Amino acid sequence: MNPTVGWIRNLAESWGVPHALVPLVPFLLLLIVLYAVIGLAAYGARRTWPRADKTIAFWLFVSPWLIGFCLFTVGPMASSVYVSLTSWDLITPPKFVGLANYTEAFGDPKVAQALKVTLLYAVISVPLQTALAFLVALLLNTDLPGMRFFRTVWYLPSLVSGVAQMVLFLWVFNPQYGLMNDVLGRFGIAGPGWFNDASWALPTVILMSLWTVGGAMVIYLAGLKDVPSNLYEAAALDGAGAVRQFWHVTLPQMSPIILFNALTGIIGSLQIFTQGFIANGGPKDSLLFFVYYLYDNAFQNFRMGYASALAWILFAVILALTGVTLRGSSFAVYYETELSRKRRRR
């Protein structure tokens, strides 16, 4: 414990602060100091700049989020950078080793396997999830009776936690008494080993991921409801059929939402963990996802420095893929505001 924090806690206990509230005292004291600094800065700005009321109000209102972001996001990230440059077993003090963790990671065959499995999962599952969610949203974007019920049914699996999903699908894809092989057996098809087979474990997880497309489907459905009907009317007057309306009206209008769901899908798929954890990496490391390998080093092998280095490598991979996706999207995503700006320039 930091000596200053310990002194504050001892002082709080001597003042009769309830024991359960003592850990909060240093944090509350820090908030008071920060707001005192903000208040003094605002007072000085108001004396030298009489029209600073709106700026002061803005910083005061945004300060709770800003303080929380600095303390609980920027602070841990900066600490993780330092830890990644050390050898730390969570028990003894960290020992500075420079870039040794990163050098080891680039030569670790399990890191290569984890990257391969994770990238394969992302490259296959994200397009499938995006396409299926969009197709379901198109089918549910009608005014037929019972549509609200079907929308709810499609969305409900998204509320099930990852562990519960994995436990359910371990039963569904069980090679001895699972539901899937039972159904295939009725058609005379011998089902594979699924999670127990190294060649089928990753495809099984990809199939499993399609069960939770309801969240993206709801976003697509909201976007489809927002497409102006006059665009379809104008296209129909020009003789465009359903296919041309979809290609020239629906897709351009929905392209920003497709990009958003694709980006969030890429980021989420690269951080997949639960399936690999429950399956213990799968047979022959077929489900050795990168975050699971990171967790295994941090909390099983007690190599927090190496795990932090792996975390920053994953961060770099996600940042690179996100940047490439955003860069490539400029040729396919339609933004009406950008079009209006081009018209104004002309």
Side-chain angles (χ1 to χ4, degrees), residues 5 15 40 66 76 111 124 131 161 190 206-207 214 259 273 304 314:
V5 175
W15 286 351
L40 289 173
L66 194 61
V111 170
I124 299 173
S161 67
I206 292 171
L207 285 174
L259 173 63
F273 167 75
M304 187 59 72
L314 179 62

Side-chain angles (χ1 to χ4, degrees), residues 130-144:
T130 303
L132 180 60
F134 191 44
L135 177 62
V136 172
L138 288 171
L139 293 174
L140 296 179
N141 187 34
T142 59
D143 294 326
L144 296 176

Side-chain angles (χ1 to χ4, degrees), residues 50 54 82 123 142 170 196 259 292 318:
K54 291 184 178 179
Y82 169 72
V123 167
T142 59
L170 282 173
N196 295 336
L259 173 63
Y292 169 66
I318 292 174

